[in-house]
Amino acid sequence: MFNYLANPTRFLRLQKAVQPWLIAATVLVLGYGLYLGLFVAPPDYQQGETVRIMFIHVPASILAMGIYVFMAIAHAVGFIFRHPLADAAAKAAAPVGAVFTFISLATGSLWGKPMWGTWWVWDARLTSMFVLFLLYLGYIAVWQAVEEPHRASRIAGIVALVGVINVPIIKFSVEWWNTLHQPSSLLRKGGPAIDPTILTPLLWCIAGFALLAAVLVLHALRAEVLARRVRQMELAQVGRAG
Amino acid sequence: MLSPFLSVIGRDVKLAFRAGGGIGTAFGFFLTVVVLLPIGIGPDQALLQRIAPGALWIALLMSVLLSADRIYTADYEDGSLEVMAIGPAPLEVVALAKALAHWLTAGLPLAIAAPLLGFLLNLRADLVPGLLLSMITGSLALSMLAALGAAVTVGLRKGGLLISLLILPLYIPLMIFGVTASTGGQAGPDISTSSYLILAAVVLLSVVVSPVASAAALRAHMR
C-alpha cells in the first residue's frame, strides 16, 4: 500500500474511488453521533444542556492533536523514505488541524463562560491548545514564505519535527504551571469515567470527526498533487519557450 | 574540528563587539522594557516586587529574540555561510558555534545585567542568586532556539515576522521553568530546585536538537 501510493496517479485513482464512500460514511456516522449527542443524551445533572458542547469540543481537541502528530510522522516518512506524497499529505493536513484546534478553543471558550464564569483562563490545557494553534500557524506560514516547493517541504518538515518534540514539553510545563481544566476522563486507569448514555454518542462523534478529517485531508491532498502537476507543466512550457 | 569551531565563535564575538553589532541593540531594548514597565503599570513598589522576576525574564526573552536574525542573515547574504558549509567542520559544528557566539554576546551579558536592572523593579535581594543562575542557564537555550529560528528563516523576505511565530511556542516551557526556578511561582519556594533541574534538562535538549536541525535547514536553503 505504502509503495503502491508512491505513484501520484495511482493515488488520484484510488482517492477518486474511495471518496464518495468516505463522504457517505462521514455523513452517516457524524449525523448519527450528533443526533444522539444533541437530542437523545440526557442533560448533565450539574451542567445541564451545556454538556452537549462536549460532543463537538472533545472530538475537535483529539483530532487537533492527532493531526499534528500525523504531520510529523508524514514528514519523518518523507525524510527517511523520500516518499513523494508524504510531505504533500502533511501540507494538506495542516489547515484541517488548525481549524480543528480553533474549533476546540472556540467551543471551549463558549463552554467556559457558563461553567467557569469566564471566556478564557490561562489554564494548562487551554494554554497548551493555544500553543498548538500557534505551532500550526507557524507551520502553515513556512509553506507560504518559502517559494520553491522542494525547499519549503524540507524546512516545513524541520519545523514540524522540532514542534512535535516540543509538544510534550509544553504540555508538561503548563501543567507544572497551572491547572484548572478537568483531567482526561476518557483515557484513564480503570476505564472511562463517563456514563454510557453520554459516552456512546461521544464515541460516535469522535469517529465521525475522524472520518470528516480523512475526507478533507484526502481532498486537499488531491488538490496539492494536481497543483504540483500544473506547476511542472508550466515549468516545462517555460523551458520549451526559452 | 576544534579550531574551526573556536574560530567561528571568535569571529562572531569580534563582529558583535566591533561592527556596531547587536550587543548595544539588545541592551538598549532590555533597558527600554525595564524602564517602561513601571511607567506603564504605575510605581506601586509591592506590585513591582511581585512581578519583577517575570518581567526580567520577559525582557531577556524579547531582547534575545530581537537579535536572533543577525545570527545568519549577514553571513548568508555575503556568502560566508557557504564557505563555512564547504569548510573542514561539519555544518552542525558551525551551527553550534554560531549559537554559542550569540549566547556569549546576547544571552549571557543580559542575564548577568538583569539582577542589576532588577533593582529598578524593586527585586527582592534574596531572589538574586536564583534568578542569576536560572537566567544564565536558560539564556543558553534561548540562544540555541533563536539560532534554530534564524536558520529556518534565513534568506526569506518575511523572516522577521516568521521567526517570532516559530520560536514563541518553543520559548514557553523555558519561560515557565525559568520563572518558577527563580521564584518558586505559585507553589512557593520549595518547587524552585526541581524547576531549575527541569530547566537545565530542557537546555541540554536544545543544545542537542538545535545544531542538527539548524544545519538541516541551512543545507535546504543553500541547495
Side-chain angles (χ1 to χ4, degrees):
Chain A
M1 192 67 176
F2 188 70
N3 283 329
Y4 179 80
L5 287 179
N7 179 335
T9 311
R10 277 193 210 137
F11 163 78
L12 289 180
R13 213 160 47 214
L14 192 68
Q15 193 265 353
K16 206 168 184 178
V18 167
Q19 193 74 336
W21 298 101
L22 263 182
I23 292 175
T26 308
V27 171
L28 287 177
V29 173
L30 191 59
Y32 184 57
L34 286 178
Y35 167 72
L36 283 185
L38 298 183
F39 298 104
V40 178
D44 188 79
Y45 80 103
Q46 273 182 330
Q47 306 193 10
E49 300 288 342
T50 55
V51 77
R52 302 192 195 283
I53 296 173
M54 180 180 74
F55 299 114
I56 308 286
H57 177 72
V58 172
S61 315
I62 291 176
L63 280 163
M65 289 182 274
I67 289 176
Y68 196 84
V69 175
F70 166 79
M71 279 160 47
I73 293 173
H75 271 295
V77 167
F79 275 123
I80 298 167
F81 301 107
R82 309 273 152 171
H83 194 287
L85 284 183
D87 63 306
K91 183 185 179 186
V96 180
V99 169
F100 277 128
T101 317
F102 182 77
I103 291 175
S104 159
L105 286 170
T107 52
S109 190
L110 291 172
W111 199 1
K113 184 63 184 168
M115 287 304 113
W116 297 337
T118 170
W119 298 108
W120 181 263
V121 281
W122 286 98
D123 152 75
R125 283 192 152 195
L126 278 75
T127 312
S128 55
M129 220 52 199
F130 185 63
V131 174
L132 185 66
F133 189 56
L134 292 179
L135 285 172
Y136 272 118
L137 292 186
Y139 177 86
I140 294 170
V142 168
W143 276 105
Q144 302 283 328
V146 187
E147 276 156 24
E148 204 260 308
H150 203 75
R151 181 185 294 184
S153 87
R154 306 220 75 180
I155 303 284
I158 293 164
V159 170
L161 289 174
V162 170
V164 89
I165 294 174
N166 212 46
V167 164
I169 301 178
I170 294 172
K171 196 127 184 63
F172 175 64
S173 73
V174 291
E175 265 159 32
W176 190 260
W177 176 57
N178 192 5
T179 291
L180 174 68
H181 194 292
Q182 62 167 336
S184 173
S185 22
L186 213 55
L187 295 173
R188 59 169 215 145
K189 257 194 236 162
I194 310 180
D195 190 78
T197 53
I198 291 192
L199 182 62
T200 316
L202 183 59
L203 293 179
W204 277 101
C205 281
I206 293 173
F209 267 74
L211 283 168
L212 177 65
V215 167
L216 293 173
V217 171
L218 284 175
H219 195 76
L221 182 51
R222 177 188 191 82
E224 175 66 21
V225 170
L226 293 176
R228 287 186 182 186
R229 212 169 263 185
V230 168
R231 188 185 141 86
Q232 263 168 5
M233 285 162 142
E234 279 171 356
L235 285 178
Q237 214 163 27
V238 172
R240 268 201 304 276
Chain B
M1 187 98 85
L2 194 61
S3 94
F5 176 71
L6 292 176
S7 56
V8 169
I9 293 185
R11 167 182 175 276
D12 272 26
V13 170
K14 258 185 223 158
L15 276 174
F17 275 105
R18 291 189 189 160
I23 293 191
T25 324
F27 259 108
F29 191 74
F30 197 98
L31 191 66
T32 312
V33 174
V34 170
V35 170
L36 284 181
L37 189 81
I39 296 175
I41 62 166
D44 177 354
Q45 290 289 62
L47 177 63
L48 282 179
Q49 183 161 61
R50 216 173 67 235
I51 63 168
L56 289 169
W57 263 96
I58 293 173
L60 174 73
L61 202 144
M62 307 276 269
S63 313
V64 169
L65 200 54
L66 186 74
S67 56
D69 67 50
R70 81 175 146 94
I71 301 178
Y72 288 111
T73 306
D75 286 347
Y76 178 77
E77 276 166 5
D78 68 9
S80 13
L81 199 59
E82 280 172 28
V83 177
M84 290 179 202
I86 56 172
L91 201 51
E92 282 81 2
V93 173
V94 174
L96 181 63
K98 299 280 286 180
L100 274 179
H102 181 259
W103 179 60
L104 289 173
T105 58
L108 186 60
L110 288 173
I112 292 171
L116 288 176
L117 289 166
F119 289 109
L120 288 175
L121 298 176
N122 197 22
L123 179 68
R124 262 166 53 198
D126 61 320
L127 289 182
V128 168
L131 185 70
L132 191 61
L133 190 64
S134 69
M135 277 187 146
I136 289 175
T137 318
S139 60
L140 179 58
L142 295 182
S143 285
M144 286 293 157
L145 296 175
L148 174 57
V152 163
T153 56
V154 74
L156 302 180
R157 263 168 287 140
K158 286 169 280 184
L161 173 68
L162 197 50
I163 207 171
S164 9
L165 186 57
L166 290 175
I167 293 184
L168 177 66
L170 308 182
Y171 272 5
I172 287 173
L174 289 168
M175 182 85 186
I176 288 172
F177 293 125
V179 174
T180 42
S182 322
T183 63
Q186 285 189 328
D190 299 339
I191 208 93
S192 56
T193 314
S194 37
S195 294
Y196 179 75
L197 292 176
I198 300 172
L199 176 69
V202 176
V203 173
L204 290 175
L205 183 67
S206 76
V207 173
V208 177
V209 171
S210 163
V212 177
S214 308
L218 292 174
R219 281 198 195 101
H221 276 295
M222 288 190 294
R223 273 153 50 91

